[in-house]
Amino acid sequence: MQTSIEWASLARTFGLFTVTAVAELLGCYLPMLWLSNKGNAWLLLPAGISLLVFVWLLTLHPAASGRVYATYGAIYIATALAWLWLVDGVTPAWTDIAGVGLALSGAAVIAMGHRT
């Protein structure tokens, strides 16, 4: 049975992954704006910084890198769909929500599984 401390650790990990996903999305979104002529080249500076932060954040996890990346992938999917809604103004479909639920369930199994 998971204790409240273990659940708090899991919540911190998922929170860190969410911040990591936002850094990655921002680091890719800003150059896309520049390349599509919706912004100027100065967007590349915060994009580069954001990608550096993204890589640094991935180093903060003590688990094996493959497990970290597998779990992060699911959090990235959820964050990308939130981005779709909040930044792009597109409401996710029920299939998007179902897919996020499946991905997050898999991430939870991976994240909790290595603790046993």
Side-chain angles (χ1 to χ4, degrees):
M1 177 180 268
Q2 298 278 325
T3 67
S4 62
I5 293 173
E6 290 169 330
W7 282 108
S9 174
L10 188 61
R12 276 192 308 276
T13 299
F14 273 61
L16 181 57
F17 278 140
T18 301
V19 171
T20 304
V22 170
E24 183 180 6
L25 284 162
L26 187 62
C28 295
Y29 182 73
L30 294 176
M32 189 265 320
L33 287 177
W34 172 64
L35 289 169
S36 62
N37 294 318
K38 296 179 183 171
N40 64 39
W42 284 105
L43 291 174
L44 298 177
L45 181 60
I49 293 168
S50 186
L51 289 173
L52 287 172
V53 169
F54 156 69
V55 172
W56 173 72
L57 288 169
L58 284 178
T59 69
L60 299 180
H61 299 278
S65 62
R67 185 173 290 125
V68 168
Y69 299 150
T71 305
Y72 170 71
I75 304 302
Y76 180 85
I77 292 168
T79 307
L81 285 176
W83 184 281
L84 173 74
W85 180 47
L86 297 170
V87 175
D88 294 331
V90 177
T91 302
W94 74 267
T95 52
D96 297 326
I97 306 299
V100 165
L102 290 169
L104 291 175
S105 296
V109 169
I110 292 168
M112 292 187 308
H114 81 280
R115 297 172 192 264
T116 59

